[in-house]
Amino acid sequence: MASQGTSSGSQQTLSLPLILAFASASIPIQALVLAISVHLPRYFASHVGLELAAVGAAFAMVRLIDIPIDVMLGTAMDRTRTRFGRYRVWMLAGTPVLMAGCWLLLQANSTTSQLGLSGILLFLYIGYSMMYLSHLAWGGVLGPTYEQRSKVFGAIIGLGVVGAVIVLGIPIVMDELGHTDGEGVRAMVWFIIGATPVTALLVLLSTREKITPETGKAFRPVDYLTLLKRGNVLRLLAADLCVTLGPGWMAALYLFYFKDSRGFDTTAANLLLMIYIGAGFVGAPFAAWLANKIGKHRALMVTTTIYSLGLVLIPFLPKGNFLVFSPGMFVVGAMAAGFGVMIRALTGDIADEIRLDTGREWMGLMYALTIGTTKIASGLSALTFVLLAYIGYQAKAGAVNTPQAIQSLELVYIVGPIVFVMIAGACFIGYKLTPERHADIRRQLDERDALSEGGASALESLTGDTELVSASRPS
């Protein structure tokens, strides 16, 4: 089977079909992310009948509680060594957990307590973390060079757009067939349940995994704190927090804003959101191309600036005019897709830098930290529901809001994202891990890996003892 794990120093050729097959796992993952960000909170508040503040608090609480779990999962992944691979076994294990978590979402009803909803969400997030984290960390080692990493994560973000567009299209189709908004959301969840095992199997059967040799000492819990003392790690985490908080803040309020402030009905608002998300087909490869031209950190600065300028124009566009809104939503969406490409690719580069210094694999833990900051941002964006409830905005279906409540909604929707996204770009001012520096890091890592593996092979040829060779390799 082509997917067998190996610690060989050779790296398989990253053809376009291989990259796309590997990236396919992002289809259900990003479909779930969009459903959680945009539709599920409103579904529980407007259609299941739970209190808006309780829904917001449940989503925020679970996202924050789940962060230490991500760190433990990332640590466990980096220390896993099996003949099947390091990260692939975690993707295999996470698939049924994610599916079961989605099914539990469908069982929630008006009698579900805030604690019960929190338990369901926590179980779902554990499965999500197992799949998403293993996929990202595996992608980081699959394309080790500066250029390859941009291409791999460009494909991951680009195919993630497929999942997002599909779940956006489902409620539109369901509406045309005469179904309610709530039934459309339930259909989204069933799509995620079906797509998860199919794409996971495609990844597992098509992609080999290189297990990088380790030459450092055994891990100690205190060593994890060393990450937070490194300037590039702090830059990355701050940027990831802000670049996620901005669009996440908007996503949480999107349907409320575009229906009550901009004058669109549910179908038109979903079509505009589909344009925004679908623009990632252009934005993700554009960001990867731009990164390999001017550097990933500079590409992030460019995309965050264009994104913020686009948001400034939204309040001045004529209400309810779909044709006028469409180009702006496309440009802003294309830039947002670029954020993900740059942050994920930069994470792999910084993990390489740390591995060169320490002799240990930090890829899984690094991606766990960025997922953690993403969840903190998502949790904070979910608190916008609590804020809206405080200012008197009514979220239940059919509710009529005052002009003051609508104005507060508009202010919350626009100002926060612009500030956060611009801070994200500013985090990489003075960043020194350039393409040339990373190429030197990769050269040193490859030379050290070859020495480590060459020594083990020589020992095996002299002794014929594969168990002794295995023991001589760092675990």
Side-chain angles (χ1 to χ4, degrees), residues 295-338:
K296 293 167 189 169
H297 62 296
R298 296 189 187 94
L300 180 64
M301 294 179 192
V302 170
T303 53
T304 52
T305 300
I306 297 175
Y307 183 92
S308 298
L309 291 175
L311 290 186
V312 171
L313 297 177
I314 287 181
F316 302 100
L317 299 179
K319 293 184 178 182
N321 193 318
F322 186 89
L323 293 179
V324 172
F325 268 81
S326 297
M329 293 295 287
F330 182 89
V331 172
V332 173
M335 296 302 101

Side-chain angles (χ1 to χ4, degrees), residues 328-390:
M329 293 295 287
F330 182 89
V331 172
V332 173
M335 296 302 101
F339 302 163
V341 176
M342 295 304 96
I343 291 293
R344 303 309 170 211
L346 284 163
T347 301
D349 295 346
I350 295 171
D352 283 343
E353 180 183 49
I354 300 172
R355 184 164 79 89
L356 180 64
D357 292 343
T358 65
R360 305 169 187 169
E361 182 59 83
W362 297 83
M363 195 71 70
L365 184 57
M366 281 294 298
Y367 281 109
L369 291 177
T370 59
I371 290 178
T373 54
T374 297
K375 288 181 177 178
I376 291 174
S378 298
L380 293 174
S381 64
L383 291 177
T384 55
F385 297 119
V386 179
L387 176 60
L388 289 185
Y390 175 76

Side-chain angles (χ1 to χ4, degrees), residues 72-94:
M72 290 186 287
L73 287 173
T75 301
M77 289 179 189
D78 286 336
R79 300 183 67 178
T80 298
R81 294 179 69 88
T82 74
R83 66 189 185 92
F84 299 107
R86 168 176 278 150
Y87 303 116
R88 65 187 306 109
V89 295
W90 285 93
M91 177 175 286
L92 180 62

Side-chain angles (χ1 to χ4, degrees), residues 212-463:
T212 54
E214 298 181 7
T215 58
K217 298 178 181 178
F219 279 103
R220 298 172 301 168
V222 70
D223 290 341
Y224 303 137
L225 297 178
T226 64
L227 288 178
L228 301 180
K229 297 178 181 178
R230 301 183 71 100
N232 282 344
V233 173
L234 294 177
R235 287 176 188 271
L236 180 74
L237 296 181
D240 189 39
L241 177 71
C242 292
V243 86
T244 306
L245 182 55
W249 188 285
M250 290 176 55
L253 302 176
Y254 176 82
L255 289 177
F256 300 122
Y257 177 77
F258 269 77
K259 292 181 69 175
D260 290 351
S261 172
R262 297 296 89 195
F264 293 98
D265 60 22
T266 300
T267 298
N270 277 321
L271 285 172
L272 283 173
L273 187 57
M274 186 177 293
I275 291 173
Y276 174 94
I277 299 297
F281 282 119
V282 174
F286 168 77
W289 171 84
L290 185 64
N292 289 333
K293 291 292 183 182
I294 66 175
K296 293 167 189 169
H297 62 296
R298 296 189 187 94
L300 180 64
M301 294 179 192
V302 170
T303 53
T304 52
T305 300
I306 297 175
Y307 183 92
S308 298
L309 291 175
L311 290 186
V312 171
L313 297 177
I314 287 181
F316 302 100
L317 299 179
K319 293 184 178 182
N321 193 318
F322 186 89
L323 293 179
V324 172
F325 268 81
S326 297
M329 293 295 287
F330 182 89
V331 172
V332 173
M335 296 302 101
F339 302 163
V341 176
M342 295 304 96
I343 291 293
R344 303 309 170 211
L346 284 163
T347 301
D349 295 346
I350 295 171
D352 283 343
E353 180 183 49
I354 300 172
R355 184 164 79 89
L356 180 64
D357 292 343
T358 65
R360 305 169 187 169
E361 182 59 83
W362 297 83
M363 195 71 70
L365 184 57
M366 281 294 298
Y367 281 109
L369 291 177
T370 59
I371 290 178
T373 54
T374 297
K375 288 181 177 178
I376 291 174
S378 298
L380 293 174
S381 64
L383 291 177
T384 55
F385 297 119
V386 179
L387 176 60
L388 289 185
Y390 175 76
I391 63 177
Y393 181 84
Q394 301 296 317
K396 288 187 181 289
V400 177
N401 285 285
T402 65
Q404 291 79 9
I406 299 296
Q407 290 173 1
S408 298
L409 170 65
E410 293 169 344
L411 189 64
V412 171
Y413 183 83
I414 292 293
V415 175
I418 292 175
V419 172
F420 290 124
V421 168
M422 288 305 296
I423 291 174
C427 286
F428 281 92
I429 295 174
Y431 181 72
K432 293 182 170 54
L433 187 47
T434 61
E436 296 76 18
R437 168 61 182 153
H438 185 263
D440 183 59
I441 290 172
R442 283 306 319 176
R443 177 186 59 77
Q444 295 181 64
L445 286 174
D446 290 342
E447 290 174 355
R448 191 169 67 188
D449 291 350
L451 274 175
S452 175
E453 293 169 357
S457 298
L459 181 60
E460 180 177 352
S461 67
L462 289 172
T463 65

Side-chain angles (χ1 to χ4, degrees), residues 12-232:
Q12 63 179 332
T13 301
L14 295 183
S15 64
L16 180 60
L18 173 70
I19 292 175
L20 293 177
F22 177 79
S24 67
S26 65
I27 293 175
I29 291 172
Q30 294 306 314
L32 178 61
V33 169
L34 185 134
I36 289 175
S37 300
V38 178
H39 288 280
L40 285 174
R42 185 172 182 268
Y43 166 76
F44 287 120
S46 299
H47 301 287
V48 174
L50 303 180
E51 290 295 327
L52 178 62
V55 172
F59 274 83
M61 180 176 65
V62 170
R63 283 163 175 160
L64 297 178
I65 291 174
D66 194 36
I67 293 171
I69 297 176
D70 288 337
V71 174
M72 290 186 287
L73 287 173
T75 301
M77 289 179 189
D78 286 336
R79 300 183 67 178
T80 298
R81 294 179 69 88
T82 74
R83 66 189 185 92
F84 299 107
R86 168 176 278 150
Y87 303 116
R88 65 187 306 109
V89 295
W90 285 93
M91 177 175 286
L92 180 62
T95 298
V97 179
L98 178 59
M99 295 170 65
C102 288
W103 181 81
L104 287 173
L105 284 179
L106 299 176
Q107 310 312 306
N109 54 52
S110 59
T111 65
T112 302
S113 64
Q114 180 179 325
L115 183 61
L117 179 59
S118 299
I120 292 172
L121 291 173
L122 181 60
F123 188 85
L124 173 66
Y125 273 126
I126 290 173
Y128 160 80
S129 294
M130 292 172 71
M131 278 205 69
Y132 190 35
L133 179 52
S134 60
H135 193 223
L136 291 177
W138 191 352
V141 298
L142 179 66
T145 70
Y146 196 88
E147 293 78 12
Q148 286 177 332
R149 196 163 277 149
S150 296
K151 292 177 181 177
V152 168
F153 284 101
I156 288 174
I157 300 300
L159 281 190
V161 172
V162 174
V165 168
I166 290 174
V167 296
L168 285 174
I170 287 174
I172 296 174
V173 173
M174 294 291 284
D175 180 65
E176 291 296 321
L177 295 176
H179 295 281
T180 66
D181 288 350
E183 290 170 331
V185 174
R186 294 174 68 85
M188 289 182 191
V189 178
W190 279 116
F191 164 76
I192 296 167
I193 292 173
T196 297
V198 173
T199 55
L201 186 63
L202 180 59
V203 173
L204 295 171
L205 293 178
S206 66
T207 312
R208 297 180 66 89
E209 180 188 350
K210 176 186 176 182
I211 302 179
T212 54
E214 298 181 7
T215 58
K217 298 178 181 178
F219 279 103
R220 298 172 301 168
V222 70
D223 290 341
Y224 303 137
L225 297 178
T226 64
L227 288 178
L228 301 180
K229 297 178 181 178
R230 301 183 71 100
N232 282 344

